[in-house]
Amino acid sequence: PNNAGFVNEVGFVYRGTLNNRNPSARSHQLFVDMTDAQLNYHPEWPALSGINGRLLVSDNDVFASVDSATLFNSKVGATQISARPNPDGHGSLLRVEGNVVGGADDGMRILRESMLRRYVGANMDTWKLNGDMQTQLKIAVPLDPAGGGASQQVDIDLQSPHFEMGNIKLAMQNIQGRISFNETSGLNSEGLSGILFGEPVTALLTTKKQADASQTLVEVAGEVDGKVLAKWAQRPEVLFLRGKLPYQAVVELNHKSNKSETRAANQPFAVIKAKSLLSGVSVDLPAPYGKAPETERPLQFTMSLFERSSLIHIAYDKFAEALFELDPQQNSKLANANIALGSEAKLAAEPLFLLSGNLPSLDIEPWKKVQQRYLDYNAQVAAMLLKPKAENEESAKELAVNDT
């Protein structure tokens, strides 16, 4: 049954006449004290089970006071539920206000398995969140499809030891802070911090709405060791950077429109942008591309993730640009590349690893050593990708240790 349970006490009162069709000529009230009940109040919101509380029906108004219940695997505290005629004249408007305490993964399920999925799309289907959460929930749901007045406010206070975004291969640890959602501003956060790439970071969630689609932005500020970054990006070129890179990064998650089940082939489902002035970082390359730790040079990194390919763009000051096309279906195998010196990087029509551009002068001997180191770095990164996850942390620390 849709709404099962046990009734401890019930009361019913009817006042009026049966001979008059005018609704105002009669009234009725129903009182139910219930235990271990189930409430499926809307097909686009998860059901409550194990309800202990009271239900009151007074003519067209319905009230429920819940002392305790279960939502997924979490415990529901004091919650108020009401359904009254919608002010816009279309059916009734259901309101639910309460709190939920339990596993953080249930908070993700609320985003994925409720009507909130209309706003966040499928990008979060691969996200995993461990730990504890405390959620405040305040929603209004029209029971008539033509009715208005819908609203959602979900506030989740997190204490999570591990958060994994599988679709972009990023993981954070020791997350603390608040994540919120409402129908006006979408996803946002407050006081969010954690560990990314083994270093402390601060993070900010915001939502940008574009017509009938939306975009979730995850802004992160911190630093990352070049060896750890090389392993995540799966690019040996990063190993020419020595030291910890201070950075500002933005992860853009593009959600599909509610009216469209497909995404344009040229639209990535996620874009990761990072920039750094490389302060405190040395670049181990021949002049004029190398640099000492005490100098600054801008580095920009952009990774666009498509359904069938990934595209990495790197810009190193005015000296060089690089484009790498990867095949995610073959463990991010390099499919096409262009490293352009002093010019704009462009991918060739056919698969090719192309070095292009202009040099004022060239001493070939130092670059032969660079080429050999590049081949060594490439082998090291490839070997890491084949190792179990538990071994990768130690391997990342050992990358390029002997290359001084």
Side-chain angles (χ1 to χ4, degrees):
N2 287 333
N3 298 296
F6 299 94
V7 173
N8 301 318
E9 184 179 359
V10 64
F12 178 76
V13 176
Y14 179 88
R15 299 183 183 88
T17 176
L18 299 177
N19 299 324
N20 191 328
R21 294 183 178 181
N22 189 342
S24 62
R26 66 187 68 85
S27 66
H28 60 274
Q29 286 81 39
L30 173 68
F31 166 80
V32 179
D33 185 277
M34 51 193 170
T35 301
D36 198 24
Q38 180 176 335
L39 177 60
N40 289 309
Y41 51 92
H42 194 276
E44 291 190 295
W45 286 95
L48 295 177
S49 60
I51 299 172
N52 299 306
R54 290 155 298 283
L55 174 69
L56 175 64
V57 179
S58 179
D59 294 331
N60 293 326
D61 296 336
V62 179
F63 306 90
S65 178
V66 176
D67 298 326
S68 63
T70 300
L71 175 67
F72 297 133
N73 297 312
S74 298
K75 301 299 181 184
V76 178
T79 298
Q80 303 298 316
I81 303 172
S82 66
R84 293 179 171 177
N86 198 323
D88 70 3
H90 295 282
S92 295
L93 186 64
L94 174 71
R95 297 183 183 275
V96 180
E97 183 173 359
N99 64 87
V100 182
V101 177
D105 56 333
D106 280 351
M108 294 301 301
R109 290 187 67 182
I110 290 175
L111 291 175
R112 289 195 298 253
E113 300 179 27
S114 72
M115 70 184 303
L116 302 184
R117 186 179 180 86
R118 298 180 184 179
Y119 303 94
V120 301
N123 278 338
M124 297 181 183
D125 287 354
T126 61
W127 291 17
K128 297 178 181 178
L129 188 64
N130 300 329
D132 301 319
M133 69 158 189
Q134 294 186 5
T135 301
Q136 299 290 327
L137 183 70
K138 186 176 183 180
I139 62 174
V141 183
L143 298 181
D144 186 325
S151 64
Q152 308 91 31
Q153 180 66 50
V154 181
D155 299 309
I156 304 174
D157 291 307
L158 283 175
Q159 293 279 343
S160 174
H162 186 76
F163 173 40
E164 185 171 345
M165 294 171 278
N167 56 338
I168 57 176
K169 298 180 181 180
L170 272 179
M172 293 182 66
Q173 295 76 39
N174 300 334
I175 297 176
Q176 299 183 21
R178 168 171 285 196
I179 296 177
S180 300
F181 178 89
N182 65 53
E183 75 285 353
T184 302
S185 60
L187 275 174
N188 55 82
S189 66
E190 180 181 341
L192 201 60
S193 63
I195 303 294
L196 178 64
F197 297 128
E199 301 290 341
V201 297
T202 57
L204 178 66
L205 284 173
T206 56
T207 297
K208 182 189 296 183
K209 294 190 176 182
Q210 301 169 326
D212 56 354
S214 65
Q215 183 183 65
T216 298
L217 304 179
V218 186
E219 300 178 51
V220 180
E223 60 181 21
V224 57
D225 188 277
K227 296 182 287 292
V228 177
L229 183 61
K231 187 265 173 180
W232 172 77
Q234 302 180 16
R235 296 310 313 155
E237 296 83 6
V238 182
L239 290 176
F240 289 100
L241 305 177
R242 304 297 179 83
K244 291 184 177 181
L245 287 73
Y247 67 89
Q248 296 83 43
V250 178
V251 179
E252 301 175 354
L253 300 173
N254 298 310
H255 306 303
K256 294 180 182 179
S257 165
N258 296 336
K259 299 178 182 179
S260 175
E261 294 298 324
T262 60
R263 180 186 284 109
N266 61 349
Q267 181 188 19
F269 65 82
V271 178
I272 302 168
K273 299 178 180 179
K275 61 181 180 180
S276 174
L277 291 176
L278 300 181
S279 176
V281 177
S282 64
V283 179
D284 189 14
L285 289 172
Y289 304 98
K291 87 169 196 68
E294 58 271 16
T295 62
E296 293 184 345
R297 280 185 185 167
L299 176 71
Q300 294 183 330
F301 172 93
T302 303
M303 174 182 273
S304 302
L305 303 176
F306 302 85
E307 298 293 344
R308 297 184 179 180
S309 67
S310 300
L311 189 65
I312 295 177
H313 177 263
I314 300 174
Y316 177 47
D317 201 357
K318 62 180 180 296
F319 295 106
E321 281 192 18
L323 274 175
F324 302 99
E325 184 179 11
L326 311 177
D327 185 352
Q329 307 299 322
Q330 299 188 43
N331 200 24
S332 294
K333 179 182 178 181
L334 184 63
N336 205 348
N338 176 212
I339 298 177
L341 306 178
S343 59
E344 182 182 358
K346 297 180 180 180
L347 292 177
E350 299 296 329
L352 188 68
F353 195 116
L354 176 64
L355 177 63
S356 61
N358 300 288
L359 287 173
S361 62
L362 176 63
D363 183 354
I364 194 64
E365 292 305 319
W367 285 102
K368 286 182 178 180
K369 295 179 180 179
V370 169
Q371 180 188 31
Q372 185 56 53
R373 294 211 316 273
Y374 179 87
L375 295 175
D376 293 341
Y377 293 161
N378 189 55
Q380 291 180 57
V381 172
M384 285 194 64
L385 299 178
L386 298 176
K387 291 182 179 181
K389 186 175 181 180
E391 298 181 22
N392 274 337
E393 294 182 3
E394 291 301 320
S395 297
K397 296 176 184 178
E398 296 172 359
L399 268 175
V401 164
N402 296 321
D403 182 44
T404 57

